[in-house]
Amino acid sequence: MIYSIYYHDVGDESLAEYTEMFEAAGWERVCSSQGMHIFSAEPGTSPIYSDQSTMREKYKRSEKDIRNVTCTLSFLTLLSITLHYVTGLSNWVPLFFLIVTIPFLVTYAATKARTLGKWGKSV
């Protein structure tokens, strides 16, 4: 099985129609939450969003959410490092935030580069 995440805000009344569009192309909805939808399909199934304009929109929508999470985690990481030096906060707290933040930083950089066409397959 292959999986794909699509970001699109659809109301409950439109979710069935949105899901039918994917099912017609061979994709099955796994779950949906807050505008994020996970679909699965057999290997070799064509992607739903294959033209550049819809791919660009997909990355732009996901970029905003990833940026917000990354900024929040970066702030908490810097705050925990500062508190570590000022108050003697345990070493584990800044280390935890750093370990969690780094993948988000890399993901945000890749998403931003993809929307700008800097790395890999530009959209």
Side-chain angles (χ1 to χ4, degrees):
M1 295 297 279
I2 57 173
Y3 294 88
S4 192
I5 298 175
Y6 294 97
Y7 298 93
H8 187 69
D9 288 326
V10 292
D12 291 337
E13 64 281 350
S14 302
L15 184 58
E17 182 181 323
Y18 185 70
T19 303
E20 286 175 16
M21 178 184 72
F22 282 86
E23 287 175 349
W27 292 88
E28 181 180 337
R29 185 171 68 94
V30 176
C31 65
S32 296
S33 178
Q34 299 180 1
M36 181 182 72
H37 310 279
I38 300 176
F39 291 89
S40 66
E42 294 298 322
T45 304
S46 296
I48 295 292
Y49 298 128
S50 56
D51 64 287
Q52 286 192 350
S53 64
T54 53
M55 287 293 286
R56 188 176 291 115
E57 280 303 311
K58 173 184 158 184
Y59 283 112
K60 283 183 180 179
R61 281 194 301 267
S62 66
E63 178 191 347
K64 179 182 175 188
D65 293 334
I66 294 169
R67 181 185 64 228
N68 291 342
V69 171
T70 303
C71 287
T72 302
L73 285 172
S74 297
F75 172 76
L76 291 173
T77 301
L78 293 174
L79 179 65
S80 67
I81 291 170
T82 302
L83 289 174
H84 167 69
Y85 285 109
V86 173
T87 67
L89 183 68
S90 171
N91 286 340
W92 294 106
V93 177
L95 182 62
F96 168 78
F97 279 115
L98 189 62
I99 290 170
V100 171
T101 303
I102 288 174
F104 279 95
L105 284 169
V106 172
T107 302
Y108 176 69
T111 304
K112 187 68 174 176
R114 205 96 193 266
T115 59
L116 297 175
K118 301 288 183 191
W119 294 334
K121 186 174 89 175
S122 64
V123 290

